[in-house]
Coordinates of all heavy atoms in Angstrom, one line a residue:
R40 N 25.8 157.0 1.9 CA 25.0 156.5 3.0 C 24.5 157.7 3.8 O 23.5 157.5 4.5 CB 25.8 155.6 3.9 CG 26.3 154.3 3.2 CD 26.6 153.2 4.2 NE 27.1 152.0 3.6 CZ 26.4 151.1 3.0 NH1 25.0 151.3 3.0 NH2 26.9 150.0 2.5
A41 N 25.1 158.9 3.7 CA 24.6 160.0 4.4 C 23.3 160.6 3.8 O 22.5 161.2 4.6 CB 25.7 161.1 4.4
N46 N 19.6 157.0 0.0 CA 19.2 155.9 0.8 C 18.1 155.1 0.3 O 18.0 153.9 0.2 CB 18.9 156.4 2.2 CG 18.8 155.3 3.3 OD1 18.6 155.6 4.5 ND2 19.0 154.1 3.0
R47 N 17.1 155.8 -0.3 CA 15.9 155.1 -0.9 C 16.3 154.3 -2.1 O 15.8 153.2 -2.3 CB 14.8 156.1 -1.2 CG 15.2 157.1 -2.3 CD 14.0 157.8 -2.9 NE 13.3 158.7 -1.9 CZ 12.4 159.6 -2.3 NH1 12.0 159.7 -3.5 NH2 11.8 160.4 -1.4
L49 N 19.3 152.9 -2.5 CA 20.1 151.7 -2.0 C 19.1 150.7 -1.4 O 19.3 149.5 -1.6 CB 21.0 152.2 -0.9 CG 22.2 153.0 -1.3 CD1 23.0 153.6 -0.1 CD2 23.2 152.1 -2.2
I50 N 18.0 151.1 -0.7 CA 17.0 150.2 -0.2 C 16.3 149.5 -1.3 O 16.2 148.2 -1.3 CB 16.0 150.9 0.7 CG1 16.7 151.5 1.9 CG2 14.8 150.0 1.0 CD1 15.8 152.4 2.7
A51 N 15.8 150.2 -2.3 CA 15.1 149.6 -3.5 C 16.0 148.6 -4.2 O 15.6 147.5 -4.5 CB 14.6 150.6 -4.4
R53 N 18.4 146.8 -3.0 CA 18.5 145.6 -2.1 C 17.3 144.8 -2.2 O 17.3 143.6 -2.3 CB 18.8 146.0 -0.7 CG 20.2 146.5 -0.4 CD 21.1 145.3 0.1 NE 20.8 145.0 1.4 CZ 20.3 143.8 1.8 NH1 20.0 142.9 0.9 NH2 20.1 143.5 3.1
L54 N 16.1 145.4 -2.0 CA 14.9 144.7 -1.9 C 14.6 143.9 -3.2 O 14.1 142.8 -3.2 CB 13.7 145.6 -1.6 CG 13.8 146.4 -0.2 CD1 12.5 147.1 0.0 CD2 14.1 145.4 0.9
M65 N 30.3 154.3 -3.7 CA 29.9 154.9 -2.5 C 30.7 156.1 -2.2 O 31.9 156.0 -1.9 CB 29.9 153.9 -1.4 CG 29.0 154.3 -0.2 SD 27.3 154.1 -0.6 CE 27.1 152.3 -0.5
Y207 N 2.0 149.1 7.6 CA 2.8 149.9 6.7 C 1.9 151.0 6.1 O 0.7 151.0 6.3 CB 3.5 149.1 5.7 CG 4.3 147.9 6.2 CD1 3.9 146.6 6.2 CD2 5.5 148.2 6.9 CE1 4.6 145.6 6.7 CE2 6.3 147.1 7.5 CZ 5.8 145.8 7.4 OH 6.5 144.8 8.0
I213 N 4.9 146.0 2.7 CA 5.9 147.1 2.4 C 5.7 147.6 0.9 O 5.5 146.8 0.0 CB 7.3 146.6 2.6 CG1 7.6 146.5 4.1 CG2 8.3 147.6 2.0 CD1 8.9 145.8 4.4
D217 N 6.8 153.3 1.7 CA 7.6 153.1 2.9 C 9.1 153.3 2.6 O 9.8 153.9 3.5 CB 7.4 151.7 3.4 CG 6.0 151.4 3.7 OD1 5.4 152.0 4.6 OD2 5.4 150.5 3.1
V218 N 9.5 152.9 1.4 CA 10.9 153.2 1.0 C 11.2 154.7 1.0 O 12.4 155.1 1.3 CB 11.2 152.5 -0.3 CG1 12.6 152.9 -0.9 CG2 11.1 151.0 -0.3
L220 N 9.5 157.2 2.9 CA 9.3 157.8 4.2 C 10.5 157.4 5.2 O 11.0 158.3 5.9 CB 8.0 157.5 4.8 CG 7.7 158.0 6.3 CD1 7.8 159.5 6.3 CD2 6.4 157.5 6.8
Y221 N 10.9 156.2 5.1 CA 11.8 155.6 6.1 C 13.1 156.4 6.2 O 13.6 156.7 7.3 CB 12.1 154.2 5.7 CG 13.3 153.6 6.5 CD1 13.1 153.2 7.8 CD2 14.6 153.5 6.0 CE1 14.2 152.7 8.6 CE2 15.6 153.0 6.7 CZ 15.5 152.6 8.0 OH 16.5 152.1 8.7
P222 N 13.8 156.8 5.1 CA 15.1 157.5 5.2 C 15.0 158.8 6.0 O 16.0 159.2 6.7 CB 15.5 157.8 3.7 CG 14.8 156.7 3.0 CD 13.5 156.5 3.6
T223 N 13.9 159.5 6.0 CA 13.7 160.7 6.8 C 13.5 160.3 8.3 O 14.1 161.0 9.1 CB 12.5 161.5 6.3 OG1 12.7 161.9 5.0 CG2 12.3 162.8 7.2
L224 N 12.7 159.3 8.5 CA 12.5 158.9 9.9 C 13.8 158.4 10.6 O 14.1 158.7 11.8 CB 11.4 157.8 10.0 CG 10.0 158.2 9.5 CD1 9.1 157.0 9.7 CD2 9.5 159.5 10.2
V225 N 14.6 157.6 9.9 CA 15.8 157.1 10.5 C 16.8 158.2 10.8 O 17.7 158.0 11.7 CB 16.4 156.0 9.6 CG1 17.3 156.6 8.5 CG2 17.2 155.0 10.4
R226 N 16.7 159.3 10.1 CA 17.6 160.4 10.4 C 17.0 161.5 11.4 O 17.7 162.4 11.7 CB 18.0 161.2 9.1 CG 18.9 160.4 8.1 CD 18.8 160.8 6.7 NE 19.8 160.1 5.9 CZ 19.7 158.9 5.5 NH1 18.6 158.2 5.7 NH2 20.6 158.3 4.7
W249 N 7.4 155.7 15.6 CA 8.6 155.1 16.2 C 8.6 153.6 16.1 O 9.6 153.0 15.7 CB 8.8 155.6 17.6 CG 9.9 155.0 18.4 CD1 9.8 154.5 19.7 CD2 11.3 154.9 18.1 NE1 11.1 154.1 20.1 CE2 12.0 154.3 19.2 CE3 12.0 155.2 16.9 CZ2 13.4 154.1 19.1 CZ3 13.4 155.0 16.9 CH2 14.0 154.4 18.0
Y251 N 6.9 151.8 13.9 CA 7.0 151.6 12.4 C 8.4 151.7 11.9 O 8.9 150.9 11.2 CB 6.0 152.6 11.7 CG 6.2 152.8 10.2 CD1 5.7 152.0 9.3 CD2 6.9 154.0 9.8 CE1 5.9 152.2 7.9 CE2 7.1 154.2 8.5 CZ 6.6 153.3 7.5 OH 6.8 153.6 6.2
A252 N 9.1 152.8 12.3 CA 10.5 153.0 11.9 C 11.4 151.9 12.5 O 12.3 151.4 11.7 CB 10.9 154.4 12.4
R253 N 11.1 151.5 13.7 CA 12.0 150.4 14.3 C 11.7 149.1 13.5 O 12.7 148.4 13.3 CB 11.6 150.2 15.8 CG 12.1 151.4 16.6 CD 12.3 151.1 18.1 NE 11.3 150.3 18.7 CZ 10.2 150.7 19.2 NH1 9.8 152.0 19.0 NH2 9.3 149.9 19.9
E254 N 10.5 148.8 13.2 CA 10.2 147.6 12.5 C 11.0 147.6 11.1 O 11.6 146.6 10.7 CB 8.7 147.3 12.3 CG 8.5 146.1 11.5 CD 7.0 145.6 11.5 OE1 6.1 146.4 11.8 OE2 6.8 144.4 11.1
L255 N 10.9 148.7 10.4 CA 11.6 148.8 9.1 C 13.1 148.7 9.3 O 13.8 148.0 8.6 CB 11.2 150.1 8.4 CG 9.8 150.1 7.8 CD1 9.6 151.5 7.2 CD2 9.6 149.0 6.8
F256 N 13.6 149.3 10.3 CA 15.1 149.3 10.6 C 15.5 147.9 10.8 O 16.6 147.5 10.4 CB 15.4 150.1 11.8 CG 16.9 150.2 12.1 CD1 17.7 151.0 11.5 CD2 17.4 149.3 13.1 CE1 19.1 151.1 11.7 CE2 18.8 149.3 13.4 CZ 19.6 150.2 12.7
Q257 N 14.7 147.1 11.5 CA 15.0 145.7 11.8 C 14.7 144.7 10.6 O 15.0 143.5 10.7 CB 14.3 145.2 13.0 CG 14.7 146.0 14.3 CD 13.7 145.8 15.4 OE1 13.0 144.8 15.5 NE2 13.6 146.8 16.3
T258 N 14.2 145.3 9.5 CA 13.8 144.5 8.3 C 15.0 144.5 7.3 O 15.5 145.5 7.0 CB 12.5 145.1 7.7 OG1 11.4 145.0 8.6 CG2 12.2 144.3 6.4
P259 N 15.4 143.3 6.8 CA 16.5 143.3 5.9 C 16.3 144.2 4.7 O 15.2 144.3 4.2 CB 16.5 141.8 5.4 CG 15.9 141.1 6.6 CD 14.9 142.0 7.1
G260 N 17.3 145.0 4.4 CA 17.2 145.9 3.3 C 17.0 147.3 3.7 O 17.2 148.3 2.9
F261 N 16.6 147.6 4.9 CA 16.4 148.9 5.5 C 17.5 149.3 6.4 O 18.5 150.1 6.0 CB 15.1 149.0 6.1 CG 13.9 149.0 5.2 CD1 13.3 147.9 4.7 CD2 13.3 150.2 4.8 CE1 12.3 147.9 3.8 CE2 12.3 150.3 3.9 CZ 11.7 149.1 3.4
G262 N 17.5 148.8 7.6 CA 18.5 149.3 8.6 C 19.9 148.9 8.2 O 20.9 149.6 8.6
D263 N 20.1 147.9 7.4 CA 21.5 147.5 7.0 C 22.1 148.4 6.0 O 23.2 148.1 5.5 CB 21.5 146.0 6.6 CG 20.5 145.6 5.5 OD1 20.2 146.5 4.7 OD2 20.1 144.5 5.5
T264 N 21.3 149.4 5.6 CA 21.9 150.4 4.6 C 22.3 151.7 5.4 O 22.9 152.6 4.8 CB 20.8 150.8 3.6 OG1 19.7 151.5 4.2 CG2 20.3 149.6 2.8
N265 N 22.1 151.8 6.7 CA 22.3 153.0 7.4 C 23.6 153.1 8.2 O 23.9 152.2 9.0 CB 21.1 153.3 8.4 CG 19.8 153.5 7.7 OD1 18.8 152.8 8.0 ND2 19.8 154.3 6.7
D266 N 24.3 154.1 8.0 CA 25.6 154.4 8.8 C 25.3 155.7 9.5 O 25.4 156.8 8.9 CB 26.7 154.5 7.8 CG 28.1 154.7 8.5 OD1 28.2 155.5 9.4 OD2 29.0 154.0 8.1
F267 N 25.1 155.6 10.8 CA 24.7 156.8 11.6 C 25.9 157.8 11.7 O 25.7 159.0 11.8 CB 24.2 156.4 13.0 CG 22.8 155.8 12.9 CD1 22.6 154.4 12.9 CD2 21.7 156.6 12.9 CE1 21.3 153.9 12.8 CE2 20.4 156.1 12.9 CZ 20.2 154.7 12.8
V268 N 27.1 157.3 11.7 CA 28.2 158.2 11.8 C 28.3 159.0 10.6 O 28.5 160.3 10.6 CB 29.5 157.4 12.1 CG1 30.8 158.3 11.9 CG2 29.5 156.8 13.5
Q269 N 28.2 158.4 9.4 CA 28.3 159.1 8.2 C 27.1 160.1 8.0 O 27.3 161.2 7.5 CB 28.3 158.2 7.0 CG 29.6 157.4 6.8 CD 29.8 156.7 5.5 OE1 29.2 157.1 4.5 NE2 30.5 155.7 5.5
I270 N 25.9 159.7 8.5 CA 24.8 160.6 8.4 C 25.1 161.9 9.2 O 24.9 163.0 8.7 CB 23.5 159.9 9.0 CG1 23.0 158.8 8.0 CG2 22.4 160.9 9.3 CD1 21.9 157.9 8.6
L293 N 21.9 154.6 20.1 CA 21.3 153.9 19.0 C 20.6 152.6 19.4 O 19.9 152.0 18.6 CB 22.4 153.6 17.9 CG 23.1 154.8 17.3 CD1 24.2 154.3 16.3 CD2 22.1 155.7 16.6
G295 N 18.1 151.9 21.0 CA 16.6 151.9 20.9 C 16.1 151.3 19.6 O 15.0 150.8 19.5
W296 N 16.9 151.4 18.5 CA 16.5 150.9 17.2 C 16.3 149.4 17.2 O 15.6 148.9 16.3 CB 17.5 151.3 16.2 CG 17.4 152.7 15.8 CD1 18.2 153.8 16.2 CD2 16.4 153.3 14.9 NE1 17.7 155.0 15.6 CE2 16.7 154.7 14.8 CE3 15.3 152.8 14.2 CZ2 15.9 155.6 14.1 CZ3 14.5 153.6 13.5 CH2 14.8 155.0 13.4
L297 N 16.9 148.7 18.2 CA 16.8 147.2 18.2 C 15.7 146.7 19.2 O 15.6 145.5 19.4 CB 18.1 146.6 18.5 CG 19.2 146.9 17.4 CD1 20.5 146.1 17.8 CD2 18.8 146.5 16.0
W310 N 6.1 141.1 2.7 CA 6.7 141.1 1.4 C 5.7 140.8 0.3 O 6.1 140.7 -0.9 CB 7.8 140.0 1.3 CG 8.9 140.2 2.3 CD1 9.1 139.5 3.4 CD2 9.9 141.3 2.3 NE1 10.2 140.1 4.2 CE2 10.6 141.2 3.5 CE3 10.1 142.4 1.5 CZ2 11.7 142.0 3.8 CZ3 11.1 143.2 1.8 CH2 11.9 143.1 3.0
P317 N 15.1 140.0 1.3 CA 16.4 139.9 0.5 C 17.5 139.2 1.2 O 17.4 139.1 2.4 CB 16.7 141.4 0.3 CG 16.2 142.1 1.5 CD 14.9 141.3 1.8
P318 N 18.4 138.7 0.5 CA 19.6 138.0 1.1 C 20.4 139.1 1.8 O 20.2 140.3 1.6 CB 20.3 137.4 0.0 CG 20.0 138.2 -1.2 CD 18.6 138.6 -1.0
P319 N 21.4 138.7 2.6 CA 22.3 139.7 3.2 C 23.0 140.6 2.2 O 23.1 140.2 1.0 CB 23.3 138.9 4.0 CG 22.6 137.5 4.2 CD 21.7 137.3 3.0
P320 N 23.4 141.8 2.6 CA 24.2 142.6 1.6 C 25.5 142.0 1.2 O 26.0 141.1 1.8 CB 24.4 143.9 2.5 CG 24.4 143.5 3.9 CD 23.4 142.4 3.9
E324 N 29.6 145.8 0.9 CA 28.6 146.9 1.2 C 28.1 146.8 2.6 O 27.1 147.5 3.0 CB 27.5 146.8 0.2 CG 28.0 147.1 -1.2 CD 26.8 147.0 -2.3 OE1 25.7 147.0 -1.9 OE2 27.1 146.8 -3.5
V325 N 28.7 146.0 3.5 CA 28.3 145.9 4.9 C 28.7 147.2 5.6 O 29.8 147.6 5.5 CB 28.9 144.7 5.6 CG1 28.6 144.7 7.1 CG2 28.3 143.4 4.9
V326 N 27.8 147.8 6.3 CA 28.1 149.0 7.1 C 29.0 148.7 8.2 O 29.0 147.6 8.8 CB 26.8 149.6 7.7 CG1 27.0 150.8 8.6 CG2 25.8 150.0 6.5
D327 N 30.0 149.6 8.5 CA 30.9 149.4 9.5 C 30.2 149.2 10.8 O 29.3 150.0 11.3 CB 31.7 150.7 9.7 CG 32.8 150.7 10.7 OD1 32.8 149.8 11.6 OD2 33.8 151.5 10.7
P328 N 30.4 148.0 11.5 CA 29.7 147.7 12.7 C 29.8 148.8 13.8 O 28.9 148.8 14.7 CB 30.4 146.4 13.2 CG 31.0 145.8 11.9 CD 31.4 147.0 11.1
A329 N 30.8 149.6 13.8 CA 31.0 150.6 14.8 C 30.0 151.8 14.6 O 29.8 152.6 15.5 CB 32.4 151.2 14.8
N330 N 29.4 151.8 13.4 CA 28.5 152.9 13.0 C 27.0 152.6 13.0 O 26.2 153.3 12.5 CB 28.9 153.5 11.7 CG 30.3 154.0 11.7 OD1 31.0 154.1 12.7 ND2 30.8 154.3 10.5
T331 N 26.7 151.4 13.5 CA 25.3 150.9 13.5 C 25.1 150.0 14.7 O 26.0 149.2 15.0 CB 24.9 150.3 12.2 OG1 23.6 149.7 12.3 CG2 25.9 149.2 11.8
P332 N 23.9 149.9 15.2 CA 23.6 148.9 16.3 C 23.4 147.5 15.7 O 23.4 146.5 16.4 CB 22.3 149.4 16.9 CG 21.6 150.2 15.9 CD 22.7 150.8 15.1
L333 N 23.2 147.4 14.3 CA 23.0 146.1 13.7 C 24.3 145.3 13.6 O 25.4 145.9 13.4 CB 22.4 146.3 12.3 CG 20.9 146.7 12.3 CD1 20.5 147.0 10.8 CD2 20.0 145.6 12.8
H334 N 24.2 144.0 13.6 CA 25.4 143.2 13.3 C 25.0 142.3 12.1 O 24.2 141.3 12.3 CB 25.8 142.4 14.5 CG 26.2 143.2 15.7 ND1 27.4 143.8 15.8 CD2 25.5 143.6 16.8 CE1 27.5 144.5 16.9 NE2 26.3 144.4 17.5
V335 N 25.5 142.6 11.0 CA 25.1 142.0 9.7 C 26.3 141.3 9.1 O 27.4 141.9 9.0 CB 24.5 143.0 8.8 CG1 24.1 142.3 7.4 CG2 23.3 143.6 9.4
E336 N 26.1 140.0 8.7 CA 27.2 139.3 7.9 C 26.9 139.5 6.4 O 25.8 139.2 6.0 CB 27.2 137.8 8.3 CG 27.5 137.6 9.8 CD 29.0 137.9 10.1 OE1 29.8 137.8 9.2 OE2 29.3 138.3 11.3

Side-chain angles (χ1 to χ4, degrees):
R40 296 201 185 278
N46 195 178
R47 64 167 66 170
L49 291 171
I50 293 169
R53 284 267 288 115
L54 298 187
M65 202 71 76
Y207 304 104
I213 288 172
D217 302 299
V218 172
L220 176 59
Y221 171 80
T223 300
L224 297 184
V225 82
R226 289 162 174 74
W249 175 226
Y251 162 83
R253 293 205 312 282
E254 180 169 16
L255 288 177
F256 182 81
Q257 296 165 25
T258 298
F261 285 85
D263 54 32
T264 66
N265 296 131
D266 185 311
F267 286 95
V268 171
Q269 289 193 27
I270 287 170
L293 299 178
W296 283 102
L297 298 184
W310 302 107
E324 297 178 19
V325 173
V326 174
D327 185 340
N330 298 350
T331 174
L333 286 173
H334 298 284
V335 178
E336 297 291 333

